[in-house]
């Protein structure tokens, strides 16, 4: 056998060996990977538990706390960040940034505001809510006293539109102005202060 033929035969054997050992010469991540080794589900406890261990027993006269279902919160924010909706097992909350409702440093609703508030009123009707909270908030610019007054005036303005849209004497309203208290973002930049300048409308979720 010539040297050239011998070299070719050795190369072919190397390729065959690599294919046999590794299956293929290129690899891709599995689209449906298996559970990582050592994390497979098992029916047995990871450690042996002694049921007679005194540390596992309740003191005499003690009882277990009542079972509690943890609240699950779902948050949806529109792309612009102007409106945010939070849903929990018990409540629905809408947060509208002040800029989409009012001119700067004003409690007079703009033309766009009524349509946004009317949409919230429709959800209130859907949930058949009869207790509504309307809370106003500002950023930390200006005096705290001014923020308290402005946030209350803005909450009142939103309440007035809701009352007109719902026209339901059985609904009670809780209206408050918190000023710069309870920020949802830092006040270190204008973008974060914008999030804090808001009016929140919340109400209980229907069991239906």
């Amino acid at each position: 056998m010539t040297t050239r033929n011998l070299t070719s035969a050795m190369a072919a054997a190397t390729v065959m060996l690599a294919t046999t050992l590794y299956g293929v010469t290129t690899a891709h991540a599995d689209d449906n990977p298996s559970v990582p080794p050592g994390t497979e589900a098992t029916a047995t406890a990871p450690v042996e538990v002694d049921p007679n261990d005194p540390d596992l027993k309740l003191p005499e006269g003690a009882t277990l706390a009542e079972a509690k279902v943890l609240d699950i919160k779902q948050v949806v924010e529109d792309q612009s960040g102007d409106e945010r909706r939070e849903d929990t097992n018990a409540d629905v909350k809408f947060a509208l940034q002040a800029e989409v409702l009012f001119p700067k440093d004003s409690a007079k609703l703009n033309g766009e505001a009524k349509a946004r508030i009317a949409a919230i009123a429709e959800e209130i009707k859907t949930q058949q809510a009869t207790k509504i909270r309307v809370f106003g908030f500002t950023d930390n610019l200006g005096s705290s006293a001014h923020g308290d007054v402005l946030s209350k005036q803005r909450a009142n303005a939103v309440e007035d539109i809701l009352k007109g849209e719902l026209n339901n004497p059985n609904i009670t309203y809780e209206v408050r102005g918190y000023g710069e208290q309870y920020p949802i973002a830092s006040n270190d930049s204008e973008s974060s202060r914008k999030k804090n300048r808001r009016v929140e409308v919340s109400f209980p979720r229907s069991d239906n």
Side-chain angles (χ1 to χ4, degrees):
M1 181 179 292
T2 65
T3 301
R4 181 175 180 179
N5 289 340
L6 179 60
T7 301
S8 297
M10 291 178 64
T14 301
V15 171
M16 291 177 63
L17 179 60
T19 301
T20 301
L21 291 176
Y22 302 108
V24 292
T25 56
T26 59
H28 297 280
D30 190 345
D31 291 334
N32 297 292
S34 60
V35 177
T39 60
E40 297 88 352
T42 175
T44 59
V47 294
E48 185 176 351
V49 177
D50 180 4
N52 297 315
D53 189 331
D55 291 334
L56 297 179
K57 295 182 179 180
L58 289 173
E60 187 175 351
T63 59
L64 290 173
E66 184 179 351
K68 180 180 179 181
V69 177
L70 297 178
D71 208 7
I72 299 174
K73 179 186 290 187
Q74 179 182 21
V75 180
V76 178
E77 186 173 281
D78 65 11
Q79 191 170 12
S80 64
D82 292 342
E83 183 171 331
R84 174 187 177 97
R85 172 174 175 155
E86 295 182 7
D87 287 86
T88 70
N89 298 339
D91 299 290
V92 179
K93 180 197 293 182
F94 288 90
L96 296 172
Q97 289 188 2
E99 275 77 355
V100 303
L101 299 176
F102 308 97
K104 184 177 180 181
D105 200 29
S106 170
K108 183 178 180 180
L109 291 164
N110 60 33
E112 181 185 356
K114 185 173 181 179
R116 286 186 177 266
I117 299 171
I120 296 175
E122 288 302 314
E123 181 64 20
I124 292 172
K125 293 176 184 177
T126 298
Q127 298 296 337
Q128 302 176 8
T130 56
K131 295 181 180 180
I132 301 173
R133 297 176 294 273
V134 186
F135 297 161
F137 305 85
T138 63
D139 58 27
N140 66 347
L141 297 181
S143 71
S144 175
H146 176 69
D148 291 343
V149 172
L150 180 61
S151 62
K152 178 66 178 294
Q153 290 174 338
R154 286 177 167 177
N156 284 335
V158 172
E159 178 201 17
D160 288 341
I161 299 297
L162 284 173
K163 282 183 174 179
E165 291 290 329
L166 295 169
N167 191 27
N168 185 343
N170 295 320
I171 293 179
T172 59
Y173 296 84
E174 180 183 355
V175 184
R176 298 183 182 180
Y178 288 102
E180 64 187 56
Q181 299 182 73
Y182 309 109
I184 58 174
S186 73
N187 281 297
D188 297 336
S189 66
E190 177 55 23
S191 60
S192 60
R193 288 192 292 270
K194 182 179 179 181
K195 291 181 178 294
N196 292 330
R197 298 190 295 264
R198 68 198 190 278
V199 175
E200 294 181 354
V201 180
S202 58
F203 42 91
R205 174 180 293 283
S206 171
D207 292 332
N208 295 335

